[in-house]
Amino acid sequence: MNNEIPYSRKIEGRMKKIYYKKVGGQYFPNTLSIGEKDEFDNFEIVCIEYYNLNIQREQEIFSRVQLGMPLTVAEKLHAVTSPIAEFAKSILEKYPSINKIIDSKRAKPFQLIVQALHMIELNPTKYNATSGVITKYLQDERSVPRELKQEADQVFASLDILIQVEEEIFTRDHRVSPIEFVFFCYILDKFSNLELAWYQDTLLQMKEYVRNHHADIRFNQTVYKTLWNFVDDVENNLADNDGHKSKKNRKK
């Protein structure tokens, strides 16, 4: 009723914004007629509340009411309630700059943060990031380990700084892909406390490396293996150059 949200209607061949009413001191050239206001004021909206639904039923109902558009994997993950899910949401809330460098539609950033947490915590050398695996990881009701909280906060704080300093490197030549985003978060954790310029160079090298091997950068086993080889090369180069040791030991 306060003209906060207009709607658009074609008037004389042009789309124009229509407001509810004229307000003193404000200029609103197009407002509802008396009859339209009366219809609007007396329109009844049906509201249905559901109780005690499991997650599958919640997702099914949500899918049905949004014009039949199926939920994405990311949206299904976002509907999960657990300590690790809430932690992932808190990361995105604390570091909204993440939305600038990846597809931010339909809960995609949340999904990638969860995949990054999974990789940081479990350190899998083989591809193990299917939707089923990530869903199971997210549904675990355990408390988030303190070490993971500390590592993740350092990773995403570093990522936030990189975005603020030079956002363009994440989109240079090619926008960073989902799997590159996850691996770069892993690199920030595995090789911590290095110079900002080193991370910038490593990101660009990683993007070039994976595109020299693959035309299509998908989140699959083949690309995963290529990026893991890149991480191996980075670790070996650091060890050869300055004796830097990564803080993670691989889990077999």
Side-chain angles (χ1 to χ4, degrees), residues 16-205:
K16 296 186 178 182
K17 292 181 178 180
I18 310 298
Y19 291 86
Y20 178 75
K21 62 182 178 181
K22 294 185 183 295
V23 179
Q26 293 180 296
Y27 177 67
F28 296 104
N30 302 302
T31 57
L32 297 179
S33 66
I34 294 176
E36 289 171 331
K37 286 181 187 176
D38 185 63
E39 182 179 357
F40 180 86
D41 292 341
N42 292 285
F43 188 84
E44 293 185 359
I45 298 175
V46 177
C47 181
I48 301 174
E49 294 187 19
Y50 295 89
Y51 299 92
N52 302 318
L53 297 177
N54 59 32
I55 191 66
Q56 288 76 22
R57 286 290 291 153
E58 285 185 13
Q59 293 173 353
E60 179 186 355
I61 292 170
F62 186 85
S63 179
R64 289 177 183 274
V65 300
Q66 61 168 7
L67 301 179
M69 183 180 293
L71 294 173
T72 64
V73 171
E75 287 171 327
K76 291 179 180 179
L77 291 174
H78 195 267
V80 174
T81 301
S82 69
I84 194 73
E86 295 307 309
F87 178 56
K89 292 172 185 175
S90 72
I91 290 173
L92 187 57
E93 183 176 342
K94 186 175 182 180
Y95 303 109
S97 60
I98 294 171
N99 290 304
K100 296 180 180 180
I101 62 171
I102 55 177
D103 180 7
S104 60
K105 298 177 182 177
R106 305 195 68 179
K108 191 65 175 180
F110 172 79
Q111 179 186 12
L112 296 182
I113 288 172
V114 173
Q115 288 177 310
L117 293 175
H118 176 265
M119 192 168 186
I120 289 169
E121 181 178 15
L122 301 182
N123 200 31
T125 58
K126 295 182 179 179
Y127 178 69
N128 194 26
T130 63
S131 60
V133 169
I134 298 302
T135 299
K136 185 177 180 180
Y137 174 75
L138 197 60
Q139 289 176 335
D140 195 331
E141 290 295 335
R142 69 196 171 103
S143 299
V144 181
R146 184 174 63 177
E147 182 180 1
L148 177 60
K149 285 185 176 181
Q150 293 173 341
E151 290 184 29
D153 192 61
Q154 182 175 352
V155 165
F156 290 103
S158 299
L159 182 62
D160 181 63
I161 292 172
L162 284 162
I163 295 170
Q164 302 300 335
V165 170
E166 194 173 4
E167 178 185 335
E168 182 267 340
I169 63 172
F170 292 91
T171 56
R172 186 181 302 173
D173 297 328
H174 303 276
R175 187 177 190 175
V176 65
S177 67
I179 193 169
E180 289 173 317
F181 173 86
V182 172
F183 261 88
F184 188 61
C185 290
Y186 179 73
I187 286 171
L188 288 170
D189 180 58
K190 186 177 180 71
F191 309 109
S192 58
N193 302 316
L194 295 176
E195 295 293 330
L196 184 69
W198 184 88
Y199 293 117
Q200 292 172 320
D201 291 341
T202 300
L203 171 63
L204 295 174
Q205 290 168 16

Side-chain angles (χ1 to χ4, degrees), residues 119 124 126-127 179 183 220-228:
M119 192 168 186
K126 295 182 179 179
Y127 178 69
I179 193 169
F183 261 88
N220 58 34
Q221 184 173 352
T222 304
V223 178
Y224 189 97
K225 183 177 180 180
T226 297
L227 283 167
W228 196 267

